Structure formats: structure tokens, C-alpha cells
Amino acid sequence: MSDADDTGRGDWSAPGAPDADQQDTTWVEHAPTAPVGPDPETVVLGAQPTVVDATLPPPPPPPAWSSPASPAPAAPAPPVGPRPVGPPPSWGPPSGPPTGVQPWSGAALPGVAGWGAVPVAPKPGVVPLRPLGLGEILDGAISYIRRDPRTVLGIAAVISLITAALQFVALLVFGTGFLNLSTSTGPLDETALVSSLTGLVSAIAVTTVISFVLQITATGMLTVAMSRAVLGRRVTASEAWALTRPRLLALVGVTLLVGLTVSLAFLGGLAVAIGLGALVATSVDPAAGFLLGFALGAAAIVLSIWLAIRLLLAPVIVVLEKAGVVQSMRRSTRLVTGAWWRTFGIYTLTVFLSYLLSQALSFPAAIIAGLLPFATGPDSAGIVLAVTSSLSSLIAGMITLPFLAGVTSLLYIDRRIRREALDLELQRASAAGV
């Protein structure tokens, strides 16, 4: 149906003529019936032309399910004026069941032929606005880096550079002394060795905490960048920080709580496995105790992985939906329900690909670290270790941070499209230019 039909002003007939399917309701004066025989006083009046009142509305268009008897005239041009701008898309959970068209579930669609064919959907940004496949998620995570490398790689580079610098200082100050004491051929000074080891462990702990907070900050900022890239928008690093800063405390809290939950499930299950295995081994049979401990340990690993995947989307929900810590964990559980294996497979593949890529890029640094001590002597081993470790951390962070954050954000968007028809709201927002 044309645009004119939508507005109620469509006219399938020629202008000024009555519709072919309607009876003409205007009054037409005809000649009276003449009596038998000639009557000179009778004046025969012919049919007068039809007069159409201009104030009357035009005849209604034909029904949508019928076809016109003649080709329809060209539709009138749409009115010129500013496009109406609707409200921006809300990343929050829907207040009620979605109205209108439901999200595509894989069933056959009109006009789409072929087994397994997917509907054509608009693609204003890095991914089409419909349920996403594995290739589209991975491609979208790379495309948003290529689309706005200044922001995405800039955020990852700054965070990774700070982390690498802290690691370099910790290893240079404390690691060199510990390495020299542990490899010394003279009498071993146990007090100095313990002091150096304590300083090294403390420095690594402080560096780990700071790096943890920095990486969480980078994840939140990259999540904001991906949410804009889906609609074809760009965001600067300052804008991403302004949107992430109010949610930083909640983001740190949910990351710590998720990590604590997964760790308790793993360590608690492992402790139970060791305890029961040892008890059965000493009281019943060693082989039975070993098998029981092994089975319970494997169950603890499976439980921790299951919890980690179910809570995977909680940081994204904290940033985009501005939800609380516990609320975001519950909502992540609801979104992942019914798609645990799919989420697990995509995220595991992403982690594996990120590891391979970071190792490939940091391999030259590892080669240099192995060759430099032969060229400069054993005294520079500590400096070489600090440089190469920091450089590897920098390269790995620049690669893995944007890629993992992009895939996690797209997993969240895909789950909301499949469960809550988020693609319809995003399509309306994209069409309105919001």
C-alpha cells in the first residue's frame, strides 16, 4: 500500500471523477417522460453536467484487499517538514509485554524463501537489528573497533599502558632484588630474601587491585561505545567516561560480587571434595575416596562455570540499564535462561581467540626476553623480565579488552532482542534519528 493509503488521502481514480465502485450520489436533472403524440409546449431538457461540491471530502479509497480496475495514479508527495523525533531508546527492562510485531523466532516469513533464510533487517550500525548469529557477533565486536578506533583503541591503550607501567615498576623495584638474591652463588641472606619476596608480593597485589579497577572502568566505557555503535553513532572518550562514571561504584561492586560468588562455589566445592574424599579414603577404600573426591571436584568446577555464564551480563546491565548490583545479577540470570550453552560457547570461543591473538602479538617480546640475557649478561635479567612482562601486558590488554567487551555487549543485546523485542525499539530510534 502506498503512502497515500496510510494517510487516508489515497485516490485510485482520476482526480475530479467519482470512484468506479461507488454510485454517483449527485442530483442529475433528466427530461420528463413525454406524452404520446407531439406536444409543442413540452421542452425536452438533456442531461446536465454533474456539479461536484468542492467542500465535500473526496471519495474514500478502495479496500486494501482489492485491486483497482485501472492503474493507480502517482502518490502525492509527502508533506515537507521536520521529521518527528521520538524518545530515545531505553536500555532498561520493558515495563510490560511488547506490543505490535513480536521478535522473529526463526519461523518462515512472507517474502523470505529458502530453508534457514533470515529476514532482511536494517543495519544502521555494526550489526543488523534482529537476532544475531555467531559470525555477526564476532564481526560486530571487530567492526566497532574499526569504525571508531580513536575512541575504542584509545580507551584500551590508556588503561593498558597504566597497568603495564605499574607492573613494570613493581617488577623493577622488587622483582630485580628478589631475582638477584635467589640466584646469588654466595651465602644466602634469608632475611633479605624474605623481605624482598614480601615487597614483591605486596607490589603485585597493589598492582592487581589497581589494574582490576582500571579494567572495569575500561569495560564500562567500551560497553557505552558499543551501545552507540549498534545504532551507527560515535562517542568520544570523554562522553563514554561521563556516562560510565556514575555507574563505576556499582560496576566495581557487581564485578566483585560475581567473582566472589563464583570463587566460593569453586573453592567451597573443592574443599568439600577433598574432605569427603579423604574421609572415604581413610575409612572405606582409598580408590573409592579418590573417585568421590574427583567427582565432587569436577562438580565444583562445573558449578562455578555455570554461575559465571549466568552472571556474565550483569556488568553490562549495570552500565546500560542503570540497575543495582543484586538486580543486575538477577536480570542477567533471566536473560541467559534458555540460552546457557549458546552463551557459553560464544564467550569461550571469544576468550580463546583473544588469547591466541594476544600471544601471537606478544611472541616477539618473548623472543627478545629470551635472547637479551645472553647479549647483556645475567645482571640485566631482572630489567629484561620487567620490560617484556609489561610489554606483553600492554599488547594483550589493547587486544582483549575491546574484543571481550564488544562480544559481551552484543550477547546482551542479542538476548534482549530474542526475549523482549529490543530490535523494534532500536529500529524506531534509528529511523527517528535519535
Side-chain angles (χ1 to χ4, degrees):
M1 187 179 295
S2 63
D3 294 338
D5 297 330
D6 295 336
T7 58
R9 296 196 300 268
D11 189 3
W12 290 97
S13 59
D19 189 57
D21 296 334
Q22 285 188 320
Q23 183 179 358
D24 191 358
T25 57
T26 58
W27 290 97
V28 181
E29 188 177 359
H30 299 280
T33 305
V36 180
D39 187 355
E41 297 180 358
T42 302
V43 179
V44 179
L45 297 178
Q48 301 298 320
T50 302
V51 179
V52 180
D53 191 353
T55 61
L56 296 177
W65 53 84
S66 63
S67 58
S70 59
V80 179
R83 172 183 290 177
V85 178
S90 173
W91 290 104
S95 57
T99 58
V101 182
Q102 296 299 317
W104 179 69
S105 59
L109 298 177
V112 179
W115 180 261
V118 295
V120 178
K123 186 180 178 181
V126 295
V127 292
L129 300 182
R130 57 167 170 78
L132 304 175
L134 169 62
E136 291 167 336
I137 291 177
L138 296 179
D139 179 71
I142 298 175
S143 296
Y144 97 112
I145 300 175
R146 297 171 55 190
R147 186 185 186 93
D148 196 4
R150 181 177 180 181
T151 298
V152 177
L153 293 181
I155 293 172
V158 170
I159 298 299
S160 301
L161 184 61
I162 297 175
T163 303
L166 292 174
Q167 183 178 352
F168 174 76
V169 172
L171 291 176
L172 185 63
V173 174
F174 298 97
T176 303
F178 174 76
L179 185 63
N180 293 334
L181 289 174
S182 60
T183 57
S184 176
T185 57
L188 182 62
D189 189 351
E190 297 182 357
T191 303
L193 182 63
V194 170
S195 177
S196 178
L197 179 61
T198 303
L200 177 61
V201 172
S202 301
I204 292 177
V206 173
T207 302
T208 302
V209 172
I210 297 176
S211 302
F212 173 76
V213 176
L214 290 175
Q215 290 181 2
I216 291 176
T217 305
T219 301
M221 297 174 67
L222 293 172
T223 299
V224 172
M226 173 57 81
S227 68
R228 298 301 186 268
V230 169
L231 290 176
R233 310 288 190 264
R234 284 183 170 85
V235 62
T236 63
S238 59
E239 292 172 346
W241 166 244
L243 294 172
T244 307
R245 182 177 55 189
R247 308 302 305 159
L248 185 58
L249 186 60
L251 188 59
V252 173
V254 74
T255 306
L256 288 175
L257 188 56
V258 168
L260 181 62
T261 303
V262 175
S263 299
L264 286 178
F266 174 71
L267 296 177
L270 197 60
V272 172
I274 294 174
L276 290 180
L279 180 62
V280 172
T282 55
S283 59
V284 180
D285 183 66
F290 172 77
L291 291 177
L292 179 61
F294 179 81
L296 291 178
I301 296 175
V302 171
L303 178 61
S304 61
I305 295 176
W306 180 77
L307 285 174
I309 297 301
R310 286 180 67 88
L311 301 176
L312 177 65
L313 306 180
V316 182
I317 295 171
V318 165
V319 175
L320 297 184
E321 298 186 12
K322 297 178 174 57
V325 173
V326 178
Q327 180 184 359
S328 64
M329 295 173 66
R330 292 175 179 173
R331 180 150 170 75
S332 175
T333 301
R334 289 195 298 268
L335 288 177
V336 177
T337 300
W340 188 93
W341 282 108
R342 184 174 187 272
T343 307
F344 168 76
I346 294 176
Y347 191 74
T348 303
L349 178 61
T350 304
V351 172
F352 180 70
L353 293 176
S354 301
Y355 173 78
L356 289 182
L357 187 58
S358 62
Q359 290 299 314
L361 293 177
S362 60
F363 181 74
I367 295 296
I368 295 175
L371 295 178
L372 276 181
F374 295 99
T376 59
D379 295 337
S380 62
I383 299 177
V384 172
L385 176 63
V387 171
T388 54
S389 299
S390 303
L391 186 60
S392 300
S393 176
L394 174 63
I395 296 174
M398 289 183 60
I399 298 301
T400 58
L401 272 178
F403 191 51
L404 289 175
V407 169
T408 307
S409 301
L410 289 178
L411 283 173
Y412 160 80
I413 293 174
D414 176 66
R415 291 307 304 155
R416 288 205 58 187
I417 287 176
R418 294 175 184 270
R419 292 180 62 92
E420 301 171 357
L422 180 65
D423 53 335
L424 303 181
E425 184 175 353
L426 295 178
Q427 289 176 20
R428 289 193 293 268
S430 176
V434 178

